[in-house]
Amino acid sequence: MLAVSTAAQAASAVVVHGPAFLIPVLHRREGLSLPLAGLVAAAPMIGVLLTLVVWGVVVDRRGERFALLTGLTGTTAAAAVAAAGDSPLWWFVWLLVAGAFAASTNAASGRVVVGWFPAHRRGTAMGIRQMAQPLGVGIAAVSLAVTADRAGVRAALAVPAVVAALALAATLAVVVDPPRPARSAAHAANPYAADRFLARVHLVSVLLVVPQFVVWTYALAWLVSDRGWSAGAAGTLVALAQLMGAAGRIAAGALSDRVGSRMRPLRWVAVTVVVTMLALGAAAGAGWPVAVVLLVVATGLTVADNGLAFTAVAERAGAYWSGRALGIQNTGQFLAAACVPPVAGVLVARRGYAVTFASAAVFAAAAVPLVPRDRDLSATRP
């Protein structure tokens, strides 16, 4: 269940993030302006944002297997249709549809993991599942860019269709809905009306997205422009740092299992992000070599909260509300992530990378007091 859920989410990441690697070919060979090429590449993300909560409702009402099979079928078909076209409008429309279907995996694959793993192992399992995004981005970077360069855009757009089809076949063969408690008034009650726990976790996650995407977006540019690295060397370091990020997600989940809390490790992560981003800003401003090490550390720490918050939301919302709650969680994060690159770019242009890195610590600091207290995991059920 864990392997296939991770594969399904990774396939979604290939569909959603893969077209970004086609921008150079769309610009040079297809003659699209950079803004238009960027719009085509953003189409799957737009589709995801429009449908995350809708798919959460589907998961709550029809189950995880139904949502995954329906979503991956639609993703495969839409991606294949996109690959058959040869105009920017065609690609935009069908990649948007593909993204809308791919959004199904966000809540459904997470719910499979939460439902099948007991509370004392759930954090580690969800940390492994959260590796899906960097895994999918890595697959897309290796496959789409090379295919587009050698065989053109249409051939490259067939890659997400193939990956989604493989995930669909694995889901059909393996995934079974986890058991749910019998529906009752308590289980069906709106968890947002009970207290502010979910709302606070959503807000904390949005705030912690800022340092994450500041580092993700501008690490390579800083290494090349300020540190004088070659693009190849900088890209290699960024790729290795992403592996550290994946390990950080697993470590954070395992720690939450060990201490019996999702929120305490989440608060610790937020505090360490504050310290690390301030140190990175100071070291980058002073030109110290340790700044490169701090960049790698920051890459790992700034993503460590994702699995903790995701698991906590699913656990607190319960079997009949967690689909919607996870949809709201991801929507807020996606919206914040979309705002970070342009806003941070303005700050980089005016004040430099060091100030930008240090400024991201402000958002993590704001998140620290907002992290709620949670109940003992022994009392937690999916």
Side-chain angles (χ1 to χ4, degrees), residues 28 38 42 66 83 99 105 153 157 210 243 251 267 278 280 303 318:
R28 292 195 313 266
F66 175 86
T105 64
V153 173
L157 287 175
V210 175
L243 294 178
R267 188 177 295 107
L278 288 174
L280 173 59
V303 299

Side-chain angles (χ1 to χ4, degrees), residues 42-243:
M45 182 71 73
I46 297 171
V48 169
L49 284 171
L50 293 174
T51 57
L52 277 169
V53 177
V54 174
W55 279 112
V57 175
V58 172
V59 172
D60 288 337
R61 295 183 178 178
R62 297 297 302 273
E64 295 81 358
R65 179 179 171 87
F66 175 86
L68 284 172
L69 292 178
T70 304
L72 289 170
T73 299
T75 303
T76 303
V81 173
D86 57 2
S87 74
L89 179 60
W90 181 277
W91 294 327
F92 177 85
V93 170
W94 286 104
L95 286 175
L96 187 149
V97 174
F101 278 104
S104 62
T105 64
N106 286 65
S109 65
R111 273 273 296 265
V112 170
V113 175
V114 170
W116 279 112
F117 281 81
H120 67 280
R121 296 174 57 202
R122 200 176 290 148
T124 305
M126 189 61 77
I128 295 172
R129 182 262 184 191
Q130 292 294 95
M131 292 174 60
Q133 184 183 30
L135 177 62
V137 172
I139 292 171
V142 171
S143 58
L144 267 75
V146 174
T147 304
D149 188 60
R150 295 179 178 177
V153 173
R154 294 177 65 182
L157 287 175
V159 173
V162 172
V163 173
L166 293 173
L168 172 62
T171 300
L172 184 64
V174 173
V175 172
V176 177
D177 285 343
R180 294 193 194 191
R183 183 183 287 272
S184 65
H187 286 119
N190 183 350
Y192 289 95
D195 54 40
R196 294 184 296 172
F197 180 90
L198 291 175
R200 290 176 66 174
V201 173
H202 294 332
L203 182 54
V204 166
S205 297
V206 167
L207 290 169
L208 291 177
V209 157
V210 175
Q212 175 187 336
F213 272 81
V214 165
V215 172
W216 276 22
T217 305
Y218 290 103
L220 190 143
W222 171 69
L223 289 169
V224 172
S225 62
D226 272 23
R227 304 295 300 182
W229 287 39
S230 68
T236 300
L237 180 69
V238 170
L240 292 174
Q242 289 290 332
L243 294 178

